[in-house]
Amino acid sequence: MLYPKTELCDGLSFRTCSVFIILLTQCLTVCVAEQSELICSHQPIIALAGDDVILPCHLEPPISASSETVVWTRPGLDPKYIHVHQDGRLMYQSQNPSYNYRTRLFVDELQNGNVSMKIFKVKISDAGKYFCFLPWLWKEASIQLDVGAVSPPIVSLAGTDKATGGLVLQCESLNGTGIQS
């Protein structure tokens, strides 16, 4: 096949010029990746037990993490892996059993550098510091999750007020540990 002569690459052949452009594109991708920062929220994420929560984390400037490994961990657990996304899917065998079927990444958003993780039906025991690690960039960021619990009030009759003849009610609630306060 004959290619028209082009002066795009100072007299180099089309094939040589194409290889040069491909290498330049790959170099630019690597340079942007090395300059990207992994950013998680600096403020703690606060959730109520039973709610779904998102631990926000992204690459800035955005670069695609679609075909890359994304690892979420929480120290102090055995295994420490909360979510390992590799080859386009969750690696269940390495996941801590207490998080089975309760985590996911936004797979459609990985191409935009969004590596946030969603935890479904948060438990009090989920509270703690989480780490997002991108092995292909050797970048890590952390985020704090605080989990609280709310219980319905317990209202009881405490007696009567002798001065007014009115009723005195006592209102209590259970805190996250099951102790009345």
Side-chain angles (χ1 to χ4, degrees), residues 14-36:
F14 180 78
R15 186 175 275 170
T16 303
C17 187
S18 296
V19 169
F20 174 74
I21 291 172
I22 290 170
L23 290 174
L24 180 62
T25 302
Q26 289 175 341
C27 178
L28 289 173
T29 301
V30 169
C31 290
V32 170
E34 287 179 359
Q35 293 176 0
S36 267

Side-chain angles (χ1 to χ4, degrees), residues 85-129:
H85 183 87
Q86 189 173 20
D87 299 324
R89 59 190 170 93
L90 170 62
M91 306 304 288
Y92 288 100
Q93 62 274 19
S94 58
Q95 187 178 37
N96 186 292
S98 67
Y99 289 88
N100 282 355
Y101 305 107
R102 294 197 309 121
T103 64
R104 82 170 184 87
L105 299 185
F106 299 89
V107 178
D108 294 343
E109 285 295 313
L110 289 173
Q111 66 188 4
N112 301 322
N114 182 355
V115 292
S116 302
M117 179 179 66
K118 185 171 188 174
I119 303 175
F120 298 92
K121 297 183 180 172
V122 174
K123 303 174 184 177
I124 296 287
S125 61
D126 291 339
K129 193 170 202 171

